[in-house]
Amino acid sequence: MKIEKDKVVSVHYTGKFPESDEIFDTSIEREPMEFLVGHQNMIQGFEQELLGAEKGDNREFTLLPEQAYGHRNEDAIQEVPKEQFPTDLEVGMMFQAQSDQGPMQFSIYEILEDTVKIDFNHPMAGKTLKFNVEVISIRDASEEEISHGHHH
Ligand code: ZN
């Protein structure tokens, strides 16, 4: 069985930043990651690179920002009053804001005298990512899983 749309796949993966070889995430020592292929559960390039792979295969690939979390958008940086934040504020801290579309994550981008610049870009936006993936299992998705668009 090969990886294609409407298969439920479980993989072990390790993600690194190619410049530094720093690991930003890995499933090793956790449960393998499971997902339904072809329903936008994963970043697009990740699925694309796994299509056609079989159980036991190892794949290594590098994704440019446009295949991963997109490019950074400087319009996603906003300046807000500092008094809304705790006094031990540091650059890089993550917070959550409530919006019409539900909760949105942002990080502290810059701390100024009376204001703070906050950044709504995805933390991985603008980054090139290198993955090493091992296919652990592949199975057909049930009709219910396909209609829900995620695995059960
Ligand atoms: Zn469901």
Side-chain angles (χ1 to χ4, degrees):
M1 187 177 280
K2 290 184 194 302
I3 295 181
E4 58 184 344
K5 188 174 193 296
D6 297 337
K7 302 289 186 203
V8 175
V9 175
S10 79
V11 299
H12 269 305
Y13 69 95
T14 298
K16 290 181 180 179
F17 296 121
E19 318 85 67
S20 61
D21 245 19
E22 180 201 339
I23 293 174
F24 61 81
D25 191 19
T26 179
S27 66
I28 307 295
E29 297 176 3
R30 296 201 305 250
E31 292 290 300
M33 174 178 67
E34 198 173 17
F35 60 96
L36 173 63
V37 176
H39 294 261
Q40 296 176 322
N41 293 305
M42 295 296 299
I43 54 176
Q44 185 202 339
F46 190 93
E47 276 195 359
Q48 206 71 41
E49 292 286 345
L50 290 177
L51 293 179
E54 299 182 52
K55 182 180 172 176
D57 283 359
N58 266 286
R59 291 212 172 165
E60 194 173 85
F61 48 88
T62 299
L63 301 180
L64 298 171
E66 55 266 34
Q67 302 165 297
Y69 292 95
H71 289 279
R72 285 182 53 79
N73 171 10
E74 296 312 314
D75 293 340
I77 295 174
Q78 290 176 20
E79 201 165 337
V80 296
K82 201 180 192 171
E83 63 206 22
Q84 310 180 0
F85 292 98
T87 49
D88 60 350
L89 196 63
E90 283 176 40
V91 169
M93 279 181 168
M94 299 294 298
F95 290 90
Q96 212 171 64
Q98 296 304 324
S99 78
D100 301 343
Q101 288 97 46
M104 284 180 71
Q105 290 229 320
F106 64 90
S107 63
I108 303 301
Y109 183 74
E110 196 178 354
I111 301 171
L112 303 169
E113 180 121 10
D114 299 313
T115 60
V116 175
K117 286 189 180 174
I118 62 175
D119 183 358
F120 284 94
N121 282 294
H122 190 284
M124 300 297 257
K127 298 205 190 303
T128 296
L129 308 175
K130 185 173 161 184
F131 287 97
N132 194 300
V133 182
E134 181 187 1
V135 181
I136 305 298
S137 70
I138 306 170
R139 66 171 171 84
D140 289 317
S142 68
E143 277 180 33
E144 193 185 39
E145 287 174 318
I146 292 169
S147 73
H148 286 198
H150 54 235
H151 80 278
H152 288 157

